[in-house]
């Protein structure tokens, strides 16, 4: 959770704040999820990672960062960061094979509600599909996207 939620999202949040104006609808949609993120990450870094992992795990902090770096080479948000795909990849998606798996049973309706809400908001601004001319013409989103994929 720490490595692929908090630590992964922090640079996305920073890039969003650098590239999207405060009134931009995408930033306004994500802003509630960025609240306290950096403060939480700072506390986690100081209390959980520095010293903490070294004391309670064999791999320690450097080992954890090494695992995260290794996974990031193949990480895909549409597979690794999406609940239905994550459940499928772990073989726990089928209710007939694994009944009463409460994490799946409780989390999927929430996931679908959030996905529907976000999709509705984004469609209101950009229309249908990833090839929307409005989306391609939104220079703030395009700059944000370029920042996210930049190696500099």
């Amino acid at each position: 959770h720490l490595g692929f939620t908090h630590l992964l999202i922090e640079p996305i949040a920073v890039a969003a704040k650098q590239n999207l104006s405060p009134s931009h609808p995408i930033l306004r949609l994500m802003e509630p999820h960025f609240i306290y993120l950096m403060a939480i990450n700072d506390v986690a870094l100081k209390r959980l990672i520095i010293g903490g992992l070294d004391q309670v795990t064999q791999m320690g902090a450097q080992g954890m960062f090494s695992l995260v770096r290794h996974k990031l080479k193949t990480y895909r948000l549409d597979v690794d960061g999406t609940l239905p795909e994550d459940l499928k990849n772990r073989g726990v998606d089928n209710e007939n094979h694994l009944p009463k798996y409460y994490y799946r049973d409780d989390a999927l309706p929430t996931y679908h509600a959030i996905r529907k809400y976000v999709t509705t908001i984004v469609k209101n601004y950009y229309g249908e599909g990833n090839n929307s001319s409005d989306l391609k013409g939104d220079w703030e989103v395009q700059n944000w996207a370029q920042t996210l994929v930049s190696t500099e």
Side-chain angles (χ1 to χ4, degrees):
H1 176 85
L2 175 63
F4 287 99
T5 300
H6 289 274
L7 300 180
L8 182 66
I9 296 302
E10 186 170 330
I12 294 170
V14 170
K17 289 177 179 271
Q18 289 173 337
N19 290 281
L20 303 174
S21 66
S23 63
H24 195 283
I26 299 299
L27 184 61
R28 291 181 65 205
L29 181 64
M30 294 186 307
E31 191 70 45
H33 306 283
F34 297 159
I35 293 176
Y36 310 123
L37 173 69
M38 292 178 202
I40 291 168
N41 287 357
D42 183 59
V43 170
L45 182 63
K46 290 175 181 170
R47 295 205 177 147
L48 293 176
I49 297 173
I50 298 173
L53 284 175
D54 291 332
Q55 292 174 8
V56 298
T57 67
Q58 188 174 5
M59 71 177 163
Q62 291 307 315
M64 193 262 320
F65 283 125
S66 178
L67 285 174
V68 169
R69 275 192 302 276
H70 178 73
K71 179 61 181 171
L72 281 175
K73 292 176 185 175
T74 60
Y75 184 87
R76 288 183 38 184
L77 188 60
D78 61 334
V79 175
D80 303 301
T82 304
L83 180 63
E85 289 299 317
D86 177 60
L87 294 171
K88 181 179 170 186
N89 290 337
R90 292 188 293 121
V92 295
D93 61 325
N94 189 313
E95 292 180 37
N96 295 325
H97 295 136
L98 184 62
K100 297 184 180 180
Y101 181 48
Y102 299 117
Y103 172 71
R104 174 200 61 223
D105 300 341
D106 293 344
L108 278 174
T110 304
Y111 167 84
H112 289 300
I114 292 168
R115 182 178 172 90
K116 181 179 178 183
Y117 173 74
V118 170
T119 300
T120 300
I121 297 296
V122 172
K123 282 182 181 179
N124 283 338
Y125 287 98
Y126 298 110
E128 296 286 331
N130 291 334
N131 292 321
S132 159
S133 61
D134 290 335
L135 180 61
K136 288 181 178 179
D138 186 333
W139 60 270
E140 290 180 65
V141 168
Q142 297 305 319
N143 287 344
W144 179 43
Q146 287 303 311
T147 300
L148 292 175
V149 299
S150 174
T151 58
E152 295 178 11

